[in-house]
């Protein structure tokens, strides 16, 4: 488990991190997001104690790293594996030698090193590249080797610092699948530093948004998207372009509770009116459906009734703009459902 409390980092008069509180439970994946200059990289360096915090605590598996020094700190750091943005492999060492390096630095017996290197390369799908040098590997392959090296000392925590930045979409998906597999199979707790919202949606259980050195919003990914219309929520699940339908009243929908697979048809039946889907993005997060939609409805429908009907199906509905009423002499909306 990672527990960060009151973490502050200053460089002279400049405060880069200001009272960070973040908790990542065992076997979970948390992502820290934010714009350039928000303090993400500084936070990563503080977590693995490459930078000493000015104040506050960073606990990994119950040990406050900021309070340790010397041999105790070196031992505690072994619990944190790090995967860097550029993999940072030594170019004169083969893939296998790069993975073996932390173990050899710890003085582990050579037979144990060889066995562990083989196990790790097999796990990350890189055994066939064991004797290749970094220059002979693709970006995604180098990151896989970096992950294997990060796991060399059997850490309880893995820190991924922009590990997918610059990779092509296929390589990114492969790395995210690998990290998820490591969490599921080995119970490793993973902290992901990223600016890519696709990465957060694809891997994270928990997300924290960092801005100007402070966490401005955090929570489970599913809860934020389902129960919030904040900038973070809309960035995590952005709406595609809306199909023009000027004769309809637009409504913004957000899945909030458990929904039936047929909820849209059921709402249409309840309202006695067709529901036109103008834009939609629905995904699954932590095995929970999350999504946003823009729909078009008859502008003569009562707003309160529409909102209540959607709410009864676990969906938050808000009108997206003023109603557009067509002046049709003698027209009226029947209270009976259409045949």
């Amino acid at each position: 488990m990672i527990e960060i409390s009151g973490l502050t980092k200053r460089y002279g008069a400049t405060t880069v991190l200001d009272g960070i509180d973040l908790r990542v439970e065992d076997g979970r994946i948390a992502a820290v997001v934010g714009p350039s200059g928000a303090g993400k990289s500084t936070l990563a360096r503080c977590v693995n104690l490459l930078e000493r915090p000015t104040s506050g605590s960073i606990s990994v598996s119950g040990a406050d790293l900021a309070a340790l020094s010397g041999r105790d700190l070196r031992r505690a750091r072994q619990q944190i594996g790090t995967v860097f943005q550029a993999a940072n492999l030594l170019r004169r060492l083969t893939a296998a030698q790069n993975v073996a390096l932390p173990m050899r630095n710890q003085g582990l017996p050579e037979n144990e090193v060889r066995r562990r290197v083989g196990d790790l390369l097999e796990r990350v799908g890189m055994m066939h590249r064991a004797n290749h040098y970094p220059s002979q590997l693709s970006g995604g392959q180098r990151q896989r080797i970096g992950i294997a090296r990060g796991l060399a000392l059997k850490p309880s925590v893995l820190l991924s610092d922009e590990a997918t930045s610059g990779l092509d979409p296929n390589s990114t998906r492969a790395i995210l699948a690998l990290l998820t597999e490591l969490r599921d199979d080995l119970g490793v707790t993973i902290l992901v530093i990223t600016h890519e919202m696709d990465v957060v949606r694809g891997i994270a259980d928990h997300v924290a948004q960092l801005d100007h050195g402070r966490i401005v919003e955090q929570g489970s990914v599913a809860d934020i998207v389902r129960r919030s219309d904040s900038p973070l929520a809309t960035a995590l699940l952005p709406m595609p372009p809306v199909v023009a339908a000027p004769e309809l009243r637009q409504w913004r929908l957000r899945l909030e509770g458990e929904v039936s697979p047929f909820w849209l048809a059921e709402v249409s039946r309840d309202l006695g009116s067709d529901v036109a889907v103008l834009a939609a993005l629905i995904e699954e997060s932590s095995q929970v459906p999350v999504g946003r939609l823009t729909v078009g409805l008859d502008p003569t429908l009562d707003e309160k009734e529409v909102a209540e009907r959607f709410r009864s199906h676990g969906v938050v509905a808000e009108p997206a703009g003023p109603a557009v009423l067509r002046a049709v002499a003698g027209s009226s909306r029947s209270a009976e459902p259409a045949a």
Side-chain angles (χ1 to χ4, degrees), residues 186-238:
L186 304 179
V188 178
T189 304
I190 302 176
L191 181 62
V192 177
I193 307 295
T194 185
H195 65 277
E196 300 171 289
M197 293 300 176
D198 287 347
V199 169
V200 180
R201 295 208 317 270
I203 194 174
D205 304 302
H206 186 96
V207 61
Q209 182 182 14
L210 197 60
D211 192 19
H212 292 90
R214 293 188 175 186
I215 290 180
V216 295
E217 186 173 6
Q218 68 171 309
S220 79
V221 174
D223 283 348
I224 285 180
V225 173
R226 295 175 73 188
R227 297 185 173 87
S228 171
D229 209 18
S230 66
L232 176 58
T234 54
L236 283 169
L237 206 63

Side-chain angles (χ1 to χ4, degrees), residues 82-305:
T82 302
V83 184
F84 299 96
Q85 179 176 347
N88 287 359
L89 302 180
L90 297 181
R91 62 181 182 175
R92 295 185 179 181
L93 299 183
T94 65
Q97 290 168 339
N98 268 283
V99 176
L101 189 61
M103 292 179 276
R104 289 184 172 136
N105 287 342
Q106 289 296 315
L108 297 183
E110 192 60 27
N111 62 338
E112 182 177 346
V113 171
R114 286 195 299 269
R115 180 189 58 78
R116 179 91 177 132
V117 168
D119 290 346
L120 290 169
L121 290 177
E122 187 70 38
R123 176 167 286 281
V124 301
M126 290 298 293
M127 181 63 80
H128 64 302
R129 293 288 188 265
N131 296 318
H132 286 63
Y133 291 90
S135 62
Q136 299 171 306
L137 303 175
S138 68
Q141 290 172 337
R142 287 194 293 271
Q143 285 298 62
R144 286 174 175 269
I145 298 301
I147 291 171
R149 184 184 58 188
L151 295 170
L153 299 179
K154 300 182 180 180
S156 60
V157 168
L158 187 64
L159 174 61
S160 171
D161 187 5
E162 298 281 8
T164 60
S165 181
L167 297 181
D168 63 82
N170 287 337
S171 295
T172 294
R173 284 191 291 270
I175 294 300
L176 297 184
L178 175 58
L179 291 175
T180 303
E181 178 185 313
L182 294 172
R183 184 274 306 273
D184 294 343
D185 291 352
L186 304 179
V188 178
T189 304
I190 302 176
L191 181 62
V192 177
I193 307 295
T194 185
H195 65 277
E196 300 171 289
M197 293 300 176
D198 287 347
V199 169
V200 180
R201 295 208 317 270
I203 194 174
D205 304 302
H206 186 96
V207 61
Q209 182 182 14
L210 197 60
D211 192 19
H212 292 90
R214 293 188 175 186
I215 290 180
V216 295
E217 186 173 6
Q218 68 171 309
S220 79
V221 174
D223 283 348
I224 285 180
V225 173
R226 295 175 73 188
R227 297 185 173 87
S228 171
D229 209 18
S230 66
L232 176 58
T234 54
L236 283 169
L237 206 63
M239 282 294 296
V242 177
V243 174
E247 73 279 9
L248 300 176
R249 178 76 184 277
Q250 288 187 14
W251 285 76
R252 290 189 297 264
L253 311 181
R254 188 174 74 250
L255 305 189
E256 186 180 58
E258 294 297 327
V259 295
S260 159
F262 309 105
W263 66 270
L264 200 58
E266 291 167 356
V267 171
S268 177
R269 181 197 61 208
D270 293 346
L271 291 172
S273 178
D274 291 335
V275 179
V277 177
L278 307 180
L281 180 59
I282 299 177
E283 295 186 354
E284 189 176 83
S285 176
S286 300
Q287 300 181 335
V288 174
V290 297
R292 298 175 186 278
L293 302 87
T294 299
V295 301
L297 297 174
D298 183 340
T300 64
L301 291 171
D302 179 73
E303 285 189 8
K304 184 177 180 180
E305 180 186 2

